[in-house]
Amino acid sequence: MTTVNVYQQRPTSGAKAEDPLHHADLASLVGKGRQGAGVTLREKKLLGHLTLRGDGHDATFAGAVHKATGLELPGALSLVSNGETSLQWLGPDEWLLIVPGGEELAAEQRLREALAGLHVAVVNVSGGQSLIELSGPNVRDVLMKSTSYDVHPSNFPVGKAVGTVFAKSQLVIRRTGEETWELLIRRSFADYWWLWLQDASAEYGLSIQA
């Protein structure tokens, strides 16, 4: 593996990091939605996002990833998680590791140490994407308005993750619970999806969770 410079990308001094929906001031909307709203939105902001590439058929690679993350390497269209840490399949040789905010540097260092000598790539993409969590009894109704992908439970069980077209753009839909879903979004489209979700959720009621 080539020598690379691994450094802390998150501001540690007086610089202030802003999440993609900072301008929407979601905190000010907490508690102001309809009572018994069918959809609850929570921005899981400023988490650490790392893309990992390697040979998923190599037992050494899979073992090293497990050693560094504590998670088994997931197969196609799936994710595994433990608390705020998750590992998601993105393609035949690519995965996304999400860790609590501020832990991305340590996670990258652990991965590089465990994978030393293997042909791999580890890239910190935290600044380019974010997660929006949707929960409630009407989330699937909103998803059916937004994507042509079949989100019926028989086709989209808990633990599945799919990159698809959503509101004429692209993102990843992740199902993390019976009534809980996550949208893995690109930072530059965050405002567009926020506006879309407000409109698509209007008939069911939308509440914001801190």
Side-chain angles (χ1 to χ4, degrees):
M1 186 169 62
T2 58
T3 301
V4 296
N5 292 319
V6 180
Y7 59 93
Q8 176 62 268
Q9 298 184 36
R10 182 179 294 268
T12 56
S13 58
K16 186 177 180 180
E18 291 186 350
D19 60 277
L21 290 176
H22 173 79
H23 67 285
D25 192 15
L26 297 184
S28 69
L29 302 178
V30 174
K32 296 184 178 179
R34 182 193 307 177
Q35 291 295 319
V39 179
T40 297
L41 181 149
R42 178 168 71 105
E43 184 187 14
K44 302 179 77 171
K45 57 188 179 182
L46 301 178
L47 300 178
H49 295 237
L50 301 167
T51 57
L52 169 65
R53 304 199 71 164
D55 183 359
H57 299 293
D58 181 355
T60 301
F61 172 77
V65 172
H66 181 264
K67 177 183 178 182
T69 66
L71 299 172
E72 297 288 346
L73 203 62
L77 304 181
S78 63
L79 76 151
V80 293
S81 61
N82 181 14
E84 283 195 327
T85 300
S86 65
L87 186 61
Q88 175 197 332
W89 183 92
L90 293 178
D93 66 348
E94 185 175 9
W95 293 263
L96 173 69
L97 175 66
I98 297 181
V99 299
E103 295 184 13
E104 57 270 28
L105 176 60
E108 182 176 357
Q109 291 172 328
R110 287 195 302 270
L111 278 169
R112 292 190 179 279
E113 181 180 353
L115 295 165
L118 300 179
H119 184 66
V120 300
V122 183
V123 181
N124 186 338
V125 295
S126 305
Q129 55 192 37
S130 189
L131 276 181
I132 292 177
E133 180 187 84
L134 301 175
S135 59
N138 294 114
V139 174
R140 196 163 67 85
D141 299 299
V142 171
L143 296 178
M144 288 190 292
K145 288 184 178 184
S146 308
T147 180
S148 60
Y149 195 87
D150 183 2
V151 294
H152 190 275
S154 63
N155 183 64
F156 212 126
V158 175
K160 187 171 183 177
V162 175
T164 186
V165 173
F166 187 98
K168 299 182 180 180
S169 55
Q170 290 185 320
L171 49 63
V172 174
I173 302 175
R174 300 155 43 115
R175 190 175 183 194
T176 56
E178 290 301 322
E179 293 188 349
T180 306
W181 306 69
E182 291 177 344
L183 305 180
L184 176 64
I185 66 172
R186 294 197 300 275
R187 185 182 185 96
S188 57
F189 278 76
D191 185 62
Y192 169 71
W193 283 314
W194 162 234
L195 295 173
W196 175 277
L197 290 169
Q198 289 179 74
D199 183 70
S201 303
E203 65 178 292
Y204 312 112
L206 176 66
S207 65
I208 305 301
Q209 186 179 68

